[in-house]
Amino acid sequence: MSPCEIALINLLNQMALKTFPGLTMAIGKGDKIIWQHGAGYADAKNKKKSEMIFGIGSITKIFVAVLILQLNEENYLTLDEPISTWLDKNVLADVANAESVTVRHLLSHYSGIPSWEDQHSWIHDARGKRVKPEKIWLPQENLDYIRGKKPLCAPGEAFHYSNSNFTLLGLLIEKLTSNSLEEELYKRIINPLLLKSTSLESVASLENQYSSKRFHRLDPHFIKKAGVSDYFKIEPNNILDVSAINLSVEWAAGGIVSTAQDVVNFILALKNGKLLNPKTMKEMQQWMPADNAEMGLSLFRMDTDYGTAIGHGGNVLGASACVWWYEKTNCALAILTNVGSMHASPDAHCASTIFKNAEVGKLAQEICSYY
């Protein structure tokens, strides 16, 4: 075992010991996984490692973007037509910019549509004090939280990250294919790539798969923004056990659960052109300003201490994740953990803070150089 592999294992183990109950990472090179490690436990109380299947949050958006772009390649839709061309008026009623916003605007977060994730009432109902664990959310319910809200800007004018965009894209996929989003994910991505531990969390997946424990950062920010449900259990190290919840509320914006290995296999397939044709891949990587980074069609591009990386992070109640490939080296990585930090302090530990603040990117690229 190389020194960089030993260093990365030690780093991840220390993080799991001090900060994350469960943490898993995989590294890919070329078209295969070359390294993986799981630290901590999927269920620490019962000392169960099993397969660490965690929520991947907004990495789900890349999966959904691939479906949309495949439908574009197959002439089901065009990127620059308004979504009102296909979606019913009752779906779009009172949603800001809905009549004129295009598929491209939604994919790039240039729609100007407010995000349901930013609405106080939604946060209380879906992630905080009013959570009902038994509730299975329907996709259009989230849109009810933004109906009548003013637009953030005109379509195409500025970047505003919005989960609402992907609720609309999920509904568009179902409208055009006459299949559920879950069926299209299995048909087009999960089954062809043999992603055996990946699913869109639904009633069926909740009943059939091993479910990891889920935790969330508990701090004054979270208490103020979300509040603490009676179904949450306070655990040591300022985390909440939120295992009672399900991710149906996230749906096309963040409802997939997976493993680090599956996520790396997916991103390698995308990077290597196995899911989209070269023209579409080029279009997916037409970069526009996006806060402190750049945004293509549901891919972020950002400079890091160890090179420019392309990918996405994810953060939901009970999980956080990120997946990136380095633009100039043949290296991709995914980090998944069963601790979320949404609505907690911006500095709260999550998968993306590991990627940004630790040396995992440096060590991952060093490991790739050995293989």
Side-chain angles (χ1 to χ4, degrees):
M1 188 178 294
S2 66
C4 50
E5 290 175 276
I6 294 170
L8 185 50
I9 288 170
N10 289 339
L11 177 61
L12 296 176
N13 286 345
Q14 284 299 310
M15 288 179 181
L17 186 65
K18 296 179 179 179
T19 314
F20 297 94
L23 174 66
T24 181
M25 181 174 173
I27 300 171
K29 180 180 180 180
D31 61 355
K32 63 182 179 181
I33 290 174
I34 60 168
W35 190 91
Q36 54 191 312
H37 180 68
Y41 298 93
D43 181 352
K45 184 177 179 180
N46 296 305
K47 303 296 183 184
K48 289 182 180 178
K49 269 191 181 289
S50 189
E51 193 169 20
M52 290 191 178
I53 299 174
F54 300 151
I56 65 170
S58 288
I59 296 172
T60 300
K61 292 180 173 70
I62 309 179
F63 284 75
V64 172
V66 167
L67 298 188
I68 287 288
L69 293 170
Q70 287 179 345
L71 292 174
N72 177 59
E73 291 178 354
E74 296 163 17
N75 298 316
Y76 278 84
L77 59 83
T78 54
L79 300 183
D80 295 307
E81 285 290 317
I83 59 168
S84 57
T85 304
W86 304 284
L87 289 178
D88 296 338
K89 288 188 175 181
N90 66 308
V91 173
L92 304 178
D94 296 322
V95 174
N97 293 343
E99 290 299 318
S100 57
V101 74
T102 67
V103 175
R104 189 185 303 276
H105 291 144
L106 298 176
L107 288 170
S108 61
H109 295 285
Y110 270 73
S111 70
I113 298 174
S115 179
W116 39 257
E117 187 179 44
D118 297 334
Q119 310 308 313
H120 295 302
S121 56
W122 183 89
I123 296 170
H124 292 161
D125 290 345
R127 291 188 180 148
K129 59 186 178 183
R130 294 197 295 264
V131 163
K132 297 178 180 178
E134 73 281 2
K135 178 177 173 62
I136 301 298
W137 289 67
L138 300 176
Q140 285 184 229
E141 287 186 73
N142 283 334
L143 294 179
D144 293 339
Y145 289 84
I146 61 163
R147 297 190 194 278
K149 302 289 183 182
K150 293 181 179 180
L152 302 175
C153 65
E157 185 175 89
F159 173 84
H160 291 283
Y161 190 87
S162 176
N163 280 353
S164 306
N165 296 336
F166 279 77
T167 298
L168 292 168
L169 289 170
L171 292 169
L172 181 58
I173 290 166
E174 294 195 335
K175 177 73 173 182
L176 293 174
T177 65
S178 299
N179 292 323
S180 71
L181 175 62
E182 187 173 22
E183 288 172 325
E184 288 297 311
L185 283 167
Y186 273 98
K187 172 185 172 183
R188 294 172 175 273
I189 300 176
I190 295 173
N191 287 340
L193 298 184
L194 303 178
L195 305 181
K196 296 181 179 179
S197 299
T198 301
S199 62
L200 184 69
E201 189 155 282
S202 63
V203 175
S205 64
L206 281 167
E207 291 173 350
N208 294 332
Q209 74 174 24
Y210 172 77
S211 183
S212 302
K213 282 283 189 178
R214 294 172 173 175
F215 301 93
H216 207 81
R217 298 295 174 202
L218 176 63
D219 63 17
H221 289 79
F222 184 82
I223 292 170
K224 181 178 180 180
K225 288 184 178 180
V228 178
S229 167
D230 291 339
Y231 296 98
F232 299 164
K233 300 175 183 178
I234 299 176
E235 299 285 344
N237 300 322
N238 295 320
I239 59 173
L240 289 170
D241 184 336
V242 298
S243 302
I245 62 97
N246 66 78
L247 295 177
S248 65
V249 67
E250 307 289 345
W251 197 54
I256 287 179
V257 296
S258 189
T259 62
Q261 298 94 316
D262 272 10
V263 171
V264 169
N265 279 324
F266 164 69
I267 210 69
L268 288 176
L270 176 62
K271 174 179 176 288
N272 295 331
K274 293 182 178 179
L275 294 171
L276 299 170
N277 67 38
K279 180 182 177 183
T280 303
M281 283 300 296
K282 185 176 180 180
E283 192 155 24
M284 199 178 191
Q285 296 174 76
Q286 294 294 314
W287 307 114
M288 300 172 67
D291 295 335
N292 297 320
E294 294 175 297
M295 166 60 70
L297 299 182
S298 305
L299 286 174
F300 281 100
R301 180 176 183 264
M302 69 176 187
D303 294 326
T304 77
D305 291 341
Y306 308 111
T308 302
I310 296 170
H312 213 295
N315 204 323
V316 290
L317 189 65
S320 61
C322 64
V323 62
W324 299 94
W325 80 75
Y326 285 95
E327 201 169 52
K328 294 186 177 180
T329 60
N330 191 2
C331 180
L333 64 87
I335 304 167
L336 273 63
T337 174
N338 59 347
V339 182
S341 67
M342 280 302 299
H343 316 304
S345 166
D347 299 324
H349 293 294
C350 64
S352 289
T353 62
I354 295 173
F355 180 71
K356 292 176 183 177
N357 300 331
E359 291 190 338
V360 293
K362 174 187 175 184
L363 293 169
Q365 290 179 86
E366 289 178 0
I367 290 169
C368 282
S369 70
Y370 276 86
Y371 289 85

